[in-house]
Amino acid sequence: MHRRQKPSAPEHKRDLAAHGGALSMSHNDTRSFFNFSQLVLSAGHLKSPPVLKHSKITYFEVEILDVQSKKQICIVDKIPPSSTLLDVKHKFHKACPQWYPSRVGLQLERNGPYLKDSINIQSLAVSSIITLYFTDLGQQVGWTTFFLTEYTGPLLIYLLFYIRLSTIYDQVESTKNFRHPVVHLACFCHCLHYIRHLLETLFVHKFSGGHTPLKNMIKGCAFYWGFTSWIAYYINHPRYTPPSFGHRQVSFAALAFLMCEAGNHFINVTLAHQNHSGLKACFPSPTYNPFTWLFLLVSCPNYTYEVGSWISFTVMTQTLPVGIFAFLMVIQMSLWAQKKHKLYLKRFYPEVRRKAAMIPIIF
């Protein structure tokens, strides 16, 4: 039998050295790979996302410049990231008391749109300093005040002409001439129209707390109050001539007027209670109420009913001032309807694309 020979001492040391060297080389490779991977991972975090960058900022500074001259008006400092633009306006008002928040218009760019009060200030920030451009919007009034003032005037003005004040009409003619029943009916319909507007302003319409320039209210009041004076003067005049087709014309026109008033009211109630459940708002859909079925044909049926009311009132009274006012209302309502229809197309395209804006086929 052959005896297994043991390796000599020098060879044994050489084998151990070779084996140990291999182990040390593999250990070094592993360590190098680990260091390299750590370097790659750490390099990936050198560029932090903007949200993390903003989250490290405790306060923002808002620099407000004049939109015309680009001169600095003031710097609003210590603005928390959770603040809204309305909070900035309140602090700006403390620094410059002559400009209260509702008349302050702020823009990111000189020719850009005005920013909404509900915008979070952090969404506008690129760094800790935010630059905004200021525009004085002028004296403002709330929307509720705007509509209450605009609609109260016609209601009171018409009643002053209806009672035939001595300063307006000749008292001899007023007592001598008999009033046609359409005069009383016209007063009832006119008052009903504006009382409905006033009640809907108070209890139906939902305003977002916005404001409008005072000059807009003055123009609106001049339009409605002026036309009401002209309309009421002719209808309540002692020499007023009744409609050509008599009772039949008045009856059908009055019925159409009342239907349009009812339809306008139900449409406004439907718009005030739109379904906003879920992630996306839905276009108002017809209900069991027949007056809301006009939603199947047009996207702004409230304007359709408003125009219908004034056309019916024109036929019922058969006066030129009412006809001119109705014509102007058709133009104005069609412009508003087109503008709102374009907004609806952007938000509810599949539901609105086959509808007209105000009157089927025509508008």
Side-chain angles (χ1 to χ4, degrees):
M1 292 180 67
H2 295 282
R3 224 174 144 186
R4 192 174 180 180
Q5 294 183 356
K6 292 184 179 181
S8 61
E11 291 178 354
H12 182 64
K13 290 180 180 180
R14 218 171 24 246
D15 293 340
L16 287 176
H19 184 64
L23 286 176
S24 63
M25 286 178 63
S26 63
H27 179 70
N28 290 336
D29 291 343
T30 305
R31 190 169 181 179
S32 300
F33 177 78
F34 176 77
N35 292 336
F36 177 74
S37 62
Q38 290 296 318
L39 180 62
V40 171
L41 290 175
S42 63
H45 293 284
L46 290 177
K47 205 170 184 180
S48 59
V51 177
L52 294 177
K53 181 176 67 175
H54 289 169
S55 64
K56 294 178 182 178
I57 298 176
T58 308
Y59 293 105
F60 290 102
E61 289 185 359
V62 179
E63 181 188 25
I64 299 180
L65 307 179
D66 183 78
V67 71
Q68 299 295 337
S69 62
K70 294 185 180 180
K71 292 182 179 180
Q72 184 186 96
I73 299 176
C74 73
I75 293 180
V76 183
D77 56 356
K78 293 186 178 180
I79 303 295
S82 59
S83 300
T84 62
L85 199 67
L86 183 60
D87 299 327
V88 175
K89 289 184 178 182
H90 281 293
K91 290 195 174 187
F92 177 61
H93 173 55
K94 290 181 180 179
C96 304
Q98 68 270 29
W99 294 308
Y100 51 89
S102 61
R103 69 184 294 169
V104 174
L106 296 177
Q107 304 160 276
L108 268 179
E109 301 175 357
R110 295 183 67 189
N111 297 325
Y114 293 114
L115 301 173
K116 295 183 179 180
D117 291 345
S118 58
I119 291 181
N120 188 279
I121 199 66
Q122 187 173 359
S123 63
L124 305 174
V126 179
S127 63
S128 61
I129 300 177
I130 305 170
T131 301
L132 298 177
Y133 293 95
F134 161 76
T135 301
D136 184 9
L137 301 177
Q139 192 171 355
Q140 305 285 301
V141 293
W143 283 110
T144 302
T145 304
F146 176 89
F147 288 117
L148 289 179
T149 306
E150 193 174 69
Y151 297 142
T152 303
L155 180 63
L156 299 178
I157 289 172
Y158 196 97
L159 291 176
L160 291 177
F161 283 90
Y162 176 73
I163 62 178
R164 289 183 175 178
L165 294 175
S166 58
T167 55
I168 302 176
Y169 302 111
D170 182 74
Q171 286 299 302
V172 176
E173 284 188 332
S174 298
T175 55
K176 182 180 178 180
N177 292 341
F178 171 75
R179 291 198 189 193
H180 193 276
V182 71
V183 175
H184 304 291
L185 182 61
C187 180
F188 170 78
C189 291
H190 192 274
C191 292
L192 176 67
H193 178 79
Y194 284 102
I195 289 174
R196 177 185 64 80
H197 273 304
L198 290 172
L199 293 177
E200 288 178 351
T201 300
L202 293 172
F203 304 110
V204 177
H205 295 304
K206 297 178 180 178
F207 302 107
S208 59
H211 297 79
T212 185
L214 178 62
K215 61 181 180 180
N216 288 347
M217 188 180 77
I218 295 175
K219 289 190 294 184
C221 290
F223 177 77
Y224 280 98
W225 294 16
F227 262 103
T228 299
S229 301
W230 192 24
I231 290 169
Y233 176 79
Y234 274 88
I235 295 177
N236 296 286
H237 199 281
R239 298 181 184 179
Y240 168 72
T241 304
S244 304
F245 296 96
H247 178 71
R248 181 178 296 179
Q249 177 179 342
V250 173
S251 300
F252 280 110
L255 180 62
F257 178 88
L258 294 176
M259 290 181 63
C260 288
E261 287 295 302
N264 203 339
H265 171 70
F266 289 120
I267 292 297
N268 288 331
V269 171
T270 303
L271 291 174
H273 297 86
Q274 291 185 43
N275 182 20
H276 292 287
S277 60
L279 299 176
K280 187 178 180 181
C282 299
F283 182 78
S285 57
T287 63
Y288 61 89
N289 189 335
F291 289 102
T292 63
W293 294 352
L294 199 57
F295 272 120
L296 296 172
L297 301 176
V298 296
S299 58
C300 303
N302 52 326
Y303 296 145
T304 308
Y305 282 123
E306 184 76 12
V307 167
S309 293
W310 286 111
I311 293 176
S312 303
F313 195 77
T314 303
V315 175
M316 181 178 65
T317 58
Q318 195 175 311
T319 54
L320 179 63
V322 183
I324 295 175
F325 182 75
F327 175 73
L328 294 177
M329 291 297 288
V330 170
I331 296 175
Q332 182 63 74
M333 295 294 167
S334 64
L335 294 176
W336 287 345
Q338 288 288 344
K339 184 177 179 180
K340 189 172 287 187
H341 185 70
K342 290 179 181 178
L343 295 176
Y344 283 154
L345 285 174
K346 293 179 181 179
R347 296 182 60 191
F348 316 107
Y349 175 73
E351 302 171 75
V352 186
R353 59 177 180 148
R354 295 185 181 275
K355 302 179 190 296
M358 188 178 75
I359 299 176
I361 300 174
I362 300 176
F363 295 105

